[in-house]
């Protein structure tokens, strides 16, 4: 059983790292490993992901309202965006269901995570350096959406990062930095919602306690901060600080592993 303090810290970690391109799954494994904290359990993980889902729905409620309404009104732009999100979500859903057990076991090694953190950090740095900013979401093709969706599927491996993989691919496709983040977050919504609904039975089975509740609240609150903060940050800056952060964390993890 984790303490209330640990629950809030892990909720904050989930909220921040789910939307920054640094891998929330990696941090939720590495933080307890580094601090020798107990495993919080699957029900707690589900609550944290539902917290980030709430953050997404609050921040993008107007976009989702317009997309939902477009099904009936036929308004072209939001209906097309909805189609792009559906196409982008398919690969992640298939891969997630196929490799769910591996993600819970063999993919959780700190050394493997450090490798994927560093490797994807370097790829993000390259993509952000060479990618232009000439394209917007309104210019996406179905192939663009599918390619970004395929990259999202790679995030089943901790350390890759859903946001990191999708933003990296979008930047390689010359998508403007803010739109790369916005599309990444919009397409994450159905994936997180689907995973949360599938695993929600764990919350029902184990019941709610203070740790789960505060973890959920911290995840939602810090998730909102991360979404808004990243969108504002990349308006005038690059993704390169996040790339170097990933490499630095990878080096630190390996040093700790050697010391142990």
């Amino acid at each position: 059983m984790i303490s209330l303090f640990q629950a809030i810290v892990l909720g904050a970690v989930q909220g921040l790292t789910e939307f920054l391109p640094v891998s929330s799954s990696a941090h939720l494994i590495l933080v307890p490993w580094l601090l020798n904290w107990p495993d919080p359990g699957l029900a707690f993980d589900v609550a944290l992901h539902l917290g980030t889902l709430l953050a997404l729905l609050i921040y993008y409620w107007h976009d989702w309202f317009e997309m939902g309404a477009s099904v009936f009104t036929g308004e072209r732009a939001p209906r097309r965006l909805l189609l792009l999100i559906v196409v982008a979500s398919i690969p992640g859903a298939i891969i997630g269901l196929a490799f769910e057990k591996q993600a819970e076991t063999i993919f959780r090694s700190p050394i493997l995570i450090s490798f994927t953190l560093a490797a994807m950090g370097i790829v993000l740095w390259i993509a952000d350096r060479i990618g232009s900013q000439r394209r917007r979401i309104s210019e996406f093709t179905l192939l663009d959406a599918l390619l970004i969706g395929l990259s999202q599927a790679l995030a089943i491996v901790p350390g890759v990062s859903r946001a990191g993989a999708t933003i990296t691919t979008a930047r390689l496709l010359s998508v403007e930095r803010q739109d790369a983040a916005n599309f990444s977050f919009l397409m994450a919504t159905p994936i997180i919602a689907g995973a949360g609904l599938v695993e929600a039975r764990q919350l029902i089975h184990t019941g709610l306690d203070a740790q789960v509740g505060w973890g959920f609240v911290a995840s939602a609150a810090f998730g909102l901060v991360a979404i808004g903060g990243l969108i504002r940050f990349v308006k005038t800056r690059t993704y390169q600080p996040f790339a170097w952060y990933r490499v630095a964390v990878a080096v630190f993890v390996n040093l700790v592993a050697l010391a142990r």
Side-chain angles (χ1 to χ4, degrees), residues 143-186:
L143 179 59
D144 292 328
L146 183 60
L147 289 172
I148 297 173
L150 286 169
S151 69
Q152 178 174 245
L154 297 175
I156 193 169
V157 180
V160 171
S161 167
R162 180 184 293 109
T166 52
I167 288 171
T168 296
T169 305
R171 292 294 295 124
L172 285 171
L173 295 170
S174 298
V175 178
E176 185 268 338
R177 290 189 179 97
Q178 283 186 300
D179 270 18
N182 280 319
F183 189 71
S184 171
F185 298 155
L186 284 168

Side-chain angles (χ1 to χ4, degrees), residues 93-111:
I94 294 173
I95 298 298
L97 289 173
F99 293 96
E100 179 184 7
K101 297 303 181 183
Q102 289 89 336
E104 294 174 0
T105 54
I106 62 174
F107 291 161
R108 297 177 70 88
S109 162
I111 300 302

Side-chain angles (χ1 to χ4, degrees), residues 42 115 215:
L42 181 57
F115 173 78

Side-chain angles (χ1 to χ4, degrees), residues 22-227:
V22 296
S23 180
S24 62
S25 57
H27 282 76
L28 286 180
I29 294 170
L30 293 176
V31 169
W33 177 73
L34 289 168
L35 299 176
N36 292 314
W37 288 358
D39 184 354
L42 181 57
F44 184 78
D45 286 348
V46 173
L48 296 193
H49 282 88
L50 291 177
T52 53
L53 174 63
L54 178 60
L56 283 169
L57 293 175
I58 291 173
Y59 194 89
Y60 289 104
W61 74 268
H62 188 260
D63 299 84
W64 283 107
F65 177 80
E66 286 190 332
M67 284 187 279
S70 71
V71 175
F72 304 99
T73 65
E75 189 174 350
R76 189 170 182 275
R79 187 173 60 178
R80 187 171 185 279
L81 177 58
L82 180 60
L83 175 61
L84 292 171
I85 292 171
V86 170
V87 170
S89 301
I90 292 171
I94 294 173
I95 298 298
L97 289 173
F99 293 96
E100 179 184 7
K101 297 303 181 183
Q102 289 89 336
E104 294 174 0
T105 54
I106 62 174
F107 291 161
R108 297 177 70 88
S109 162
I111 300 302
L112 173 61
I113 290 171
S114 69
F115 173 78
T116 53
L117 274 172
M120 286 303 298
I122 293 169
V123 176
L124 173 60
W125 181 83
I126 294 171
D128 199 47
R129 289 275 295 182
I130 67 175
S132 67
Q133 296 206 85
R134 58 182 176 83
R135 302 184 65 201
R136 305 297 302 271
I137 292 177
S138 58
E139 302 171 59
F140 275 22
T141 65
L142 292 179
L143 179 59
D144 292 328
L146 183 60
L147 289 172
I148 297 173
L150 286 169
S151 69
Q152 178 174 245
L154 297 175
I156 193 169
V157 180
V160 171
S161 167
R162 180 184 293 109
T166 52
I167 288 171
T168 296
T169 305
R171 292 294 295 124
L172 285 171
L173 295 170
S174 298
V175 178
E176 185 268 338
R177 290 189 179 97
Q178 283 186 300
D179 270 18
N182 280 319
F183 189 71
S184 171
F185 298 155
L186 284 168
M187 66 181 284
T189 306
I191 291 293
I192 295 175
L197 290 174
V198 168
E199 299 294 348
R201 64 183 183 274
Q202 293 292 332
L203 285 176
I204 298 172
H205 178 71
T206 60
L208 300 177
D209 55 25
Q211 285 82 353
V212 169
W214 279 106
F216 171 84
V217 171
S219 177
F222 281 91
L224 272 172
V225 171
I227 296 170

Side-chain angles (χ1 to χ4, degrees), residues 12-25 27 161 226 245:
V13 167
Q14 166 66 21
L16 290 172
T17 58
E18 178 67 39
F19 302 114
L20 302 179
V22 296
S23 180
S24 62
S25 57
H27 282 76
S161 167
Y245 169 82

